[in-house]
Amino acid sequence: MNSNSGPSITLAQLTGTLAFDNGNTKFKYSLRLCWGSGSYPQPNFYVAVNGSTYLYPTQTGTTTAPSGCQLYLFLYDGEYTHSTTLANVTLYVTGGWFYPGNTYNSRTKSVTYDNPYN
């Protein structure tokens, strides 16, 4: 995700895998959050299940950051079991930057994955 005002700045990139369980209530995730080299503060992300239950995954580690990322690549690995049928999962990522001068801007992007088992 890049800034949408001022110079083009890489804010954040969330990559990895999300796998649904065929029991229709569970998913596993292995995600990597890149803190873009031009953004501040550190980006964040959260997960919405069925559009109404929100998860804030706990960081499980770090690894060497690839080119274009600051400091480290933040790792998030785990699984979640929902109390009812899991229809979809949406990932939301927010990054920020300053432009012009000390004016703070933020941008959020999302992607939704439908459970293929229901």
Side-chain angles (χ1 to χ4, degrees):
M1 167 178 55
N2 292 328
S3 59
N4 58 359
S5 69
S8 180
I9 297 169
T10 299
L11 302 176
Q13 183 178 35
L14 186 65
T15 57
T17 59
L18 182 73
F20 292 93
D21 181 86
N22 63 4
N24 280 325
T25 60
K26 185 188 300 185
F27 70 91
K28 293 182 179 184
Y29 56 89
S30 180
L31 302 171
R32 311 293 178 252
L33 179 64
C34 163
W35 177 356
S37 58
S39 71
Y40 186 84
Q42 177 180 331
N44 61 70
F45 80 97
Y46 66 94
V47 180
V49 178
N50 294 348
S52 60
T53 301
Y54 299 94
L55 311 173
Y56 299 87
T58 301
Q59 183 179 324
T60 55
T62 59
T63 190
T64 304
S67 177
C69 298
Q70 293 188 44
L71 304 174
Y72 302 101
L73 197 58
F74 303 100
L75 310 178
Y76 299 84
D77 297 288
E79 70 178 39
Y80 172 76
T81 302
H82 199 55
S83 58
T84 61
T85 299
L86 198 159
N88 60 62
V89 172
T90 304
L91 305 174
Y92 293 88
V93 181
T94 301
W97 74 103
F98 289 92
Y99 180 83
N102 292 330
T103 303
Y104 179 73
N105 300 274
S106 67
R107 185 172 186 201
T108 301
K109 290 191 84 173
S110 66
V111 61
T112 299
Y113 298 97
D114 289 325
N115 184 348
Y117 297 106
N118 63 33

